[in-house]
Amino acid sequence: SRLSIEFSELGSEPQVIHARNDAKDHEVYMGVVSGITLAKLYERFGIPLLDGNVRHFLGQVGPNKGIAQTLEESPEHFCSYNNGITMVAEDARISSNVIKYVSGASIVNGGQTTVSIFNAYRKGTDLTKVYVPIKFIHLTSTNPIANKSLLEAISKFSNTQSKVNDADRMVNMAPHPE
């Protein structure tokens, strides 16, 4: 079941620029997607949208609480504070730096962000100032097995992040740096 997304049906289309890439099996784009578009995307497709994501959604704890707080209190800072999402798709139509259409799409990183934005949207939070960084990867191999293994690798490596805890942050606060 390939997810096909016509972005114009969800609101504003994601704006992207082509990033330099020497790989023969995929293209990489960087940009932003509006919070409203992302919320409507999850509203339409739900959990299957996160199929390539190793962690799915962990509930309203830790980082998700912070995401919810930013959405409520300083939505205009969301793009600066959040690492965004990584979306992988088997097919894409991109023109004039805008993602028009994708199919075979999955959010492989940023499930927490996606669901938190959807929950805020459902609660009636104003998301008009919310923009989410997006890394968009278009798989270009004609070999479906190669595409699947690349998607799995992207998911695995983009989710293998080192956990920064409060003790790590406190090291940089006075009086510790001295």
Side-chain angles (χ1 to χ4, degrees), residues 12-175:
S12 63
E13 300 154 319
Q15 298 175 310
V16 293
I17 55 164
H18 189 254
R20 181 164 183 255
N21 184 37
D22 297 326
K24 303 262 183 273
D25 55 358
H26 68 285
E27 292 295 329
V28 179
Y29 296 83
M30 304 296 285
V32 293
V33 58
S34 81
I36 293 169
T37 298
L38 189 57
K40 288 182 176 177
L41 185 61
Y42 189 80
E43 181 177 53
R44 179 170 296 178
F45 296 106
I47 293 286
L49 184 64
L50 309 180
D51 260 2
N53 192 315
V54 296
R55 286 192 298 211
H56 285 299
F57 185 69
L58 305 171
Q60 202 71 313
V61 293
N64 303 327
K65 224 184 215 155
I67 292 171
Q69 190 175 346
T70 301
L71 291 169
E72 298 271 341
E73 296 170 15
S74 52
E76 69 282 2
H77 291 111
F78 195 86
C79 198
S80 307
Y81 293 174
N82 187 277
N83 287 330
I85 66 168
T86 301
M87 178 182 275
V88 178
E90 292 168 29
D91 194 22
R93 201 168 64 245
I94 299 169
S95 66
S96 307
N97 295 340
V98 166
I99 304 175
K100 299 288 189 183
Y101 168 86
V102 299
S103 74
S106 182
I107 292 176
V108 299
N109 190 316
Q112 315 297 321
T113 295
T114 303
V115 176
S116 295
I117 286 175
F118 169 71
N119 287 336
Y121 173 76
R122 206 174 43 184
K123 252 176 53 184
T125 305
D126 178 12
L127 299 179
T128 52
K129 291 180 180 165
V130 175
Y131 287 88
V132 182
I134 182 172
K135 175 165 55 174
F136 178 74
I137 300 168
H138 178 201
L139 304 176
T140 55
S141 171
T142 52
N143 178 341
I145 293 147
N147 279 341
K148 185 170 171 37
S149 72
L150 179 58
L151 182 142
E152 286 167 0
I154 292 165
S155 177
K156 179 183 167 199
F157 292 117
S158 64
N159 280 290
T160 313
Q161 51 209 16
S162 54
K163 187 179 182 311
V164 179
N165 62 35
D166 290 336
D168 297 329
R169 279 191 283 271
M170 287 167 72
V171 170
N172 295 317
M173 294 176 187

